Amino acid sequence: NLTQTIEFRAYDGTDWSSWTSVAIKAGAPNKLPIVNITNQSVEVNATKDISGAVSVTDSDGDTITKYKVKDTTGSVNNFVVSGSQVNATGTNGHEFAASALSTLSVKGDASEGTQTLQIAAYDGTAWGDWTDFTLKTAAPNTAPTLSVNVPTLGIGQWVELGTSGFTFTYSDANGDAATKYEIKASADGHKFWTPAYGSFTANGGKQIDASELNGLWIWGYSSNLTQTIEFRAYDGTDWS
């Protein structure tokens, strides 16, 4: 890249004019900034900060000076900037300074649904192309329920989940699968075992991945013991 001052003057056959200076810049064409953002989900009528999900790539290293967002569908103004919902439904959406990016949020619709939103960045020379992302509005999460039955164990007896009356029954009103479970005891006593975690007493709590549940065993203590064990399940949002 080069910026050079060139001077010009004219001659009328008798005298020269004064010099006129012109700054001429040569450089590579500006490359447009590209905004990256993951798809988002939010509960009905809830507001979610998405500023941390936005990143920009500018191969020229230009500083982003402003952004614009666009609400292509939807029944409400889904974008919130500086604490206020904005109308971003026009052709050019809603424009705001880069300094306000930290205040960017989305607001869920009044009912469940999925829509496409857009965001673009300005590098001081040109606007980048719109980047699409999906906003899913979902019903508020309902915590799952879990019921557990453990039979009377023989001293030193190992029992596998699904046998001898040792059962887990998981239910989730939203249809969410369990992602992990927690087993908790207040002291050492009966033991548990899974392929990934080996043997443990669950004293103070032990979380296990849901994939380990099919390999869960329980072991009866080495002498007579009645012990309270607590179990709970996680659906990716809430614990039972």
Side-chain angles (χ1 to χ4, degrees):
N1 292 342
L2 173 67
T3 300
Q4 185 178 27
T5 299
I6 306 294
E7 295 181 287
F8 299 86
R9 63 176 181 169
Y11 185 70
D12 66 359
T14 302
D15 294 303
W16 285 98
S17 67
S18 300
W19 288 103
T20 296
S21 299
V22 178
I24 300 175
K25 180 180 180 180
N30 181 59
K31 295 180 180 178
L32 300 179
I34 301 171
V35 178
N36 302 289
I37 184 171
T38 55
N39 292 331
Q40 301 295 316
S41 62
V42 65
E43 292 184 359
V44 169
N45 291 325
T47 300
K48 177 184 179 181
D49 179 358
I50 63 167
S51 59
V54 177
S55 63
V56 181
T57 301
D58 189 290
S59 56
D60 298 318
D62 298 328
T63 298
I64 302 305
T65 60
K66 53 187 175 180
Y67 293 88
K68 59 182 178 180
V69 289
K70 187 175 181 180
D71 193 343
T72 61
T73 56
S75 57
V76 300
N77 295 328
N78 291 102
F79 286 105
V80 178
V81 179
S82 298
S84 299
Q85 284 182 262
V86 297
N87 184 350
T89 57
T91 302
N92 293 316
H94 174 79
E95 184 180 311
F96 59 94
S99 59
L101 178 64
S102 61
T103 71
L104 180 64
S105 299
V106 287
K107 182 177 175 62
D109 285 331
S111 59
E112 296 178 74
T114 301
Q115 60 185 296
T116 299
L117 302 180
Q118 296 178 313
I119 184 169
Y122 185 73
D123 65 0
T125 302
W127 284 101
D129 294 330
W130 289 108
T131 294
D132 294 352
F133 67 99
T134 297
L135 176 65
K136 179 181 179 181
T137 300
N141 186 63
T142 300
T145 60
L146 178 68
S147 61
V148 179
N149 183 72
V150 180
T152 298
L153 303 170
I155 292 174
Q157 178 190 12
W158 283 102
V159 175
E160 184 179 11
L161 182 64
T163 66
S164 303
F166 180 25
T167 60
F168 271 42
T169 303
Y170 172 87
S171 179
D172 189 283
N174 304 118
D176 300 324
T179 60
K180 58 185 175 182
Y181 293 86
E182 185 172 15
I183 306 170
K184 187 171 72 171
S186 59
D188 291 344
H190 303 303
K191 292 182 180 180
F192 297 88
W193 183 93
T194 73
Y197 300 102
S199 178
F200 56 92
T201 64
N203 185 2
K206 177 71 173 180
Q207 292 186 14
I208 64 172
D209 292 338
S211 60
E212 288 292 292
L213 196 64
N214 289 334
L216 179 66
W217 292 70
I218 188 171
W219 174 81
Y221 192 60
S222 56
S223 62
N224 291 337
L225 174 67
T226 299
Q227 184 179 29
T228 299
I229 307 288
E230 295 180 287
F231 301 86
R232 64 176 183 167
Y234 187 68
D235 67 358
T237 303
D238 293 304
W239 286 98
S240 63

